[in-house]
């Protein structure tokens, strides 16, 4: 008889709460995610290494999946819930969302950190050089 760890069993039977297919997401949120990913792709690999890039990609898609038609993510979608959906820990979630906020892609709702998130686009979307998207998340 093969023994399976409880963690492995949980990951196999994990139920996703948010859509995983872009066709099931709000179109403006999908456009936001693709725009952010294009900007992130231009960040040099020496600045944004593969593990960071992978987790940032997961965070971006979870934020897009959680967004409503006003590109808002309600406050009841907690960081723990969203981090779990992205498959990252709390610390990684905090670092990646901080990086997105710092670069103008994400902001807290009008009521502050406890009022959800708003997907945003910087006034100037980074050029192909990636010059504005420096700094590892």
């Amino acid at each position: 008889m093969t023994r399976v760890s409880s963690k492995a069993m949980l990951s196999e039977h994990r139920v996703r709460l948010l859509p995983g297919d872009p066709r099931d997401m709000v179109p403006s949120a999908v456009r936001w995610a693709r725009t952010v990913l294009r900007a992130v792709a231009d960040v040099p690999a020496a600045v944004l290494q593969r593990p960071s890039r992978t987790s940032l990609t997961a965070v971006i898609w979870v934020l897009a999946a959680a967004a409503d038609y006003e590109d808002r993510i309600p406050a009841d979608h907690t960081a723990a819930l969203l981090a779990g959906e992205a498959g990252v820990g709390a610390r990684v979630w905090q670092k990646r969302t901080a990086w997105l906020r710092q670069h103008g892609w994400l902001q807290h709702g009008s009521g502050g950190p406890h009022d959800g998130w708003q997907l945003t686009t910087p006034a100037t979307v980074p050029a192909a050089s990636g010059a504005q998207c420096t700094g590892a998340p």
Side-chain angles (χ1 to χ4, degrees), residues 29-128:
V30 173
R31 283 190 301 276
W32 173 86
R34 289 181 175 150
T35 302
V36 176
L37 290 171
R38 276 193 302 276
V40 168
D42 291 335
V43 177
V47 174
L48 183 59
Q49 296 175 354
R50 186 180 308 219
S52 295
R53 193 176 302 269
T54 300
S55 61
L56 182 59
T57 299
V59 167
I60 289 166
W61 279 112
V62 164
L63 288 167
D68 63 16
Y69 280 94
E70 296 175 349
D71 291 333
R72 291 187 44 78
I73 298 148
D76 64 352
H77 286 56
T78 64
L81 172 104
L82 295 171
E85 286 288 307
V88 299
R91 180 72 179 136
V92 170
W93 177 265
Q94 188 275 330
K95 289 175 79 173
R96 302 305 175 258
T97 56
W99 189 87
L100 290 167
R101 282 194 330 268
Q102 176 186 358
H103 290 90
W105 295 106
L106 185 66
Q107 66 185 23
H108 288 295
S110 58
H114 300 290
D115 191 28
W117 298 98
Q118 177 75 45
L119 306 180
T120 60
T121 303
T124 57
V125 176

